[in-house]
Amino acid sequence: MNRKSKNNTFFSSICIFFCLLFLCLLGWVGFYISKNGILLKEGSDFVQYGSTYNPKETISYVFFGKPKDVQVETNVDSNKMGTYKTTYKFKNYLVETKVEVKDTLPPKLELKDYTTDMVEEVKVKKFIKNVSDRTKVKTEIENIEKKDESNFVVMVKAEDSSGNITRKKANLKRIKDEEGPTISAPEHEMYETHFFDEMKDVKVVDNLDKNPTITCNADEVLTGPGDIEVTYTATDRSGNKTEFKRMVHVLPSPEMNEKIMYLTFDDGPSEVTAEVLDVLDRYGVQATFFVTGYGQPYNDLIKRAYDAGHTIGLHTYTHDWSIYDSQEAYFADLQQIQDMVYDITGERSYIIRFPGGSSNTASIGHCEGIMTELALEVQKRGYDYFDWNVGSGDASVMTLDAASIVENSKIYDGDHLVLLMHDSTYKTTLKDALPAIIEFYQAEGYSFKGLSDLSPMCHHSINN
């Protein structure tokens, strides 16, 4: 083989080599494009918790196409932290990526300076003007640096549930407090039968202590009608005291000097209520009906009683002892029965009777001390509660004979009598007993009235 032939052979080999190399490179490029024909932006595998996630915005480049042509499937929920999957498809191109939703932003924290006395134990909330984050934030005083006797620098830390932290400083100034609280209250007028809410309309303000203590000597002086001076004493946490005298005008109740029988009927309405109203109409006497919410087919009788001038009192909506589980449970039930009566009569009633009376012991198993709490709280909220001092005994059995009801109802002592009876479904003998009871007390010189806020209070001793 001559020299020229050898050169041609070498040149051919080189050409074949580069052709093969080009084909390999072309194949590799084709393979790469088929696997990576959709290029994603850096950070496409991360989504900030709570942000808006648009997967097409994470596409950087599409070979032989545009991002809008890519089909995207994703289960990412940016409002719930975790790891999700997003799939991108275009022609033969397929890209799958894991996307993590996480919170990396620290809470926003805005502080305010705080001035107080020398004794208050300052809490972190005193320095926080605003704190916000998409997750729950815990704040705390991390450090207090003393600058001098009165001035301090407080370092507050806010940490969200993802562990992101913001720290900021606020100023604390302590001053010696020598100024007592101020007390203001207008003169007060009330009937002697009313509950005196000693704190009603009383305002106490202190320059540094937002919750000074206040006492009143009303229990020592409210003994009957007349103009009575009540003394209030307010004390702030630095020990500064202020006294204030308030005049209370106690008016005599027009019912205090009368002999009155207050007929009361619990647990209605029912068909018995109609019979009771018939008797009351015949004798022209007034009474009080403590109604419930479980006789609603007979609610028209509540309206009849109201239109006839009888008092509609509130007993209970459910008559379930669970109302004594808590104050919240009791007042929720009371609100229901008050709303029901309002819908029927157009007037809100504030005359109430506790199921079982204020002396009941059934409440002990539900909440210790609940009756002591409720007896005070209902009066603070403007209600008058009434127990009874004469009992008909009709609650002892399902249906008590009329003669026994009459005899039990004649056992009395005093000029202001509150007789307990029941007008629920099974009290069918009440219509027969009631005329004799009315005639007996008429002969004894008693008038008959419905209970009101002018009626003398009739309260039992509380056992819980």
Side-chain angles (χ1 to χ4, degrees):
M1 184 180 295
N2 59 30
R3 183 181 182 92
K4 186 176 180 180
S5 298
K6 289 182 178 180
N7 288 339
N8 288 337
T9 302
F10 177 75
F11 179 76
S12 297
S13 299
I14 292 297
C15 289
I16 292 172
F17 172 76
F18 279 104
C19 286
L20 292 173
L21 181 61
F22 176 75
L23 291 173
C24 289
L25 181 60
L26 188 63
W28 181 83
V29 169
F31 176 78
Y32 178 83
I33 292 175
S34 68
K35 295 296 184 182
N36 301 278
I38 303 172
L39 300 181
L40 303 180
K41 296 178 182 178
E42 184 177 352
S44 61
D45 59 347
F46 162 72
V47 176
Q48 183 64 241
Y49 172 64
S51 65
T52 300
Y53 176 62
N54 185 349
K56 288 201 174 184
E57 292 180 352
T58 66
I59 300 173
S60 176
Y61 183 77
V62 181
F63 285 95
F64 310 116
K66 296 180 180 180
K68 67 178 183 178
D69 301 324
V70 178
Q71 294 180 347
V72 180
E73 295 179 2
T74 183
N75 64 347
V76 172
D77 181 355
S78 60
N79 292 311
K80 185 177 180 181
M81 287 184 277
T83 302
Y84 301 87
K85 184 176 75 171
T86 298
T87 302
Y88 304 83
K89 296 178 180 179
F90 177 66
K91 295 183 178 179
N92 295 324
Y93 307 152
L94 176 65
V95 175
E96 292 184 348
T97 182
K98 289 184 178 180
V99 179
E100 185 176 4
V101 176
K102 59 183 179 180
D103 177 23
T104 62
L105 298 179
K108 294 179 181 179
L109 178 64
E110 188 178 0
L111 302 182
K112 59 185 178 181
D113 296 336
Y114 183 61
T115 300
T116 186
D117 51 41
M118 305 298 289
V119 298
E120 181 187 10
E121 181 184 355
V122 293
K123 305 293 184 180
V124 66
K125 64 181 180 180
K126 300 293 186 181
F127 301 95
I128 295 178
K129 186 175 183 180
N130 183 51
V131 60
S132 61
D133 192 80
R134 288 192 62 87
T135 66
K136 187 176 180 180
V137 180
K138 178 183 178 181
T139 57
E140 63 177 316
I141 295 176
E142 199 169 44
N143 183 51
I144 299 179
E145 179 185 348
K146 184 176 182 180
K147 297 174 67 176
D148 55 45
E149 290 301 317
S150 300
N151 297 291
F152 303 80
V153 176
V154 179
M155 177 67 76
V156 175
K157 182 179 80 170
E159 182 175 0
D160 65 22
S161 57
S162 298
N164 302 303
I165 294 175
T166 300
R167 290 182 174 88
K168 286 192 176 181
K169 294 180 179 179
N171 296 311
L172 168 65
K173 186 178 182 65
R174 289 190 179 274
I175 61 177
K176 187 176 181 180
D177 184 13
E178 297 178 331
E179 182 180 343
T182 60
I183 309 172
S184 62
E187 292 189 3
H188 184 66
E189 186 175 275
M190 57 177 283
Y191 283 100
E192 61 180 312
T193 53
H194 287 186
F195 170 75
F196 178 49
D197 184 356
E198 58 196 39
M199 293 304 148
K200 185 177 182 180
D201 300 325
V202 177
K203 296 181 180 179
V204 185
V205 179
D206 188 74
N207 60 326
L208 293 172
D209 186 356
K210 289 187 176 181
N211 298 294
T213 61
I214 184 166
T215 59
C216 175
N217 70 334
D219 290 342
E220 302 172 13
V221 297
L222 288 181
T223 56
D227 292 341
I228 301 168
E229 192 176 68
V230 177
T231 302
Y232 294 85
T233 303
T235 308
D236 66 23
R237 61 175 167 249
S238 296
N240 302 302
K241 290 187 177 182
T242 302
E243 280 195 357
F244 177 82
K245 297 187 182 297
R246 179 190 198 185
M247 189 61 67
V248 179
H249 306 287
V250 183
L251 307 177
S253 169
E255 297 185 11
M256 287 299 292
N257 297 321
E258 300 180 47
K259 291 178 66 175
I260 304 173
M261 162 56 78
Y262 301 96
L263 302 173
T264 68
F265 303 93
D266 287 11
D267 295 353
S270 74
E271 60 272 29
V272 173
T273 307
E275 299 172 345
V276 170
L277 287 171
D278 289 342
V279 174
L280 297 177
D281 288 347
R282 190 163 71 246
Y283 283 88
V285 300
Q286 300 299 305
T288 300
F289 293 85
F290 287 103
V291 300
T292 69
Y294 59 73
Q296 295 191 37
Y298 300 96
N299 275 2
D300 60 305
L301 296 174
I302 295 178
K303 185 63 164 63
R304 176 185 165 186
Y306 175 80
D307 290 342
H310 302 292
T311 297
I312 307 301
L314 311 176
H315 193 35
T316 171
Y317 190 82
T318 62
H319 215 303
D320 191 300
W321 293 112
S322 64
I323 65 172
Y324 292 134
D325 285 348
S326 65
Q327 284 198 38
E328 291 76 16
Y330 175 78
F331 282 106
D333 180 272
L334 183 62
Q335 188 65 56
Q336 279 187 287
I337 190 62
Q338 188 190 61
D339 289 345
M340 189 190 85
V341 168
Y342 177 77
D343 289 341
I344 295 169
T345 66
E347 181 179 349
R348 292 204 173 273
S349 174
Y350 290 89
I351 304 297
I352 68 175
R353 173 171 285 162
F354 293 114
S358 64
S359 59
N360 80 81
T361 55
S363 61
I364 295 175
H366 291 264
C367 181
E368 185 177 352
I370 188 65
M371 296 313 305
T372 301
E373 296 175 9
L374 290 177
L376 179 61
E377 186 61 27
V378 294
Q379 294 177 100
K380 285 185 175 181
R381 297 193 187 193
Y383 295 92
D384 292 308
Y385 78 89
F386 290 88
D387 291 312
W388 57 91
N389 51 25
V390 183
S392 66
D394 65 350
S396 59
V397 294
M398 185 173 292
T399 305
L400 184 65
D401 63 276
S404 296
I405 293 176
V406 172
E407 291 307 308
N408 291 334
S409 299
K410 290 180 180 180
I411 303 172
Y412 73 95
D413 180 24
D415 290 340
H416 302 98
L417 307 178
V418 181
L419 172 58
L420 172 65
M421 295 174 283
H422 295 80
D423 61 331
S424 51
T425 298
Y426 297 103
K427 309 306 177 182
T428 55
T429 58
L430 185 57
K431 66 180 185 298
D432 300 319
L434 195 53
I437 295 172
I438 294 173
E439 291 173 6
F440 172 80
Y441 281 103
Q442 284 178 333
E444 293 293 310
Y446 286 85
S447 61
F448 294 81
K449 292 186 177 182
L451 291 167
S452 72
D453 58 359
L454 296 180
S455 304
M457 294 295 104
C458 179
H459 292 170
H460 292 168
S461 296
I462 295 175
N463 298 311
N464 181 26

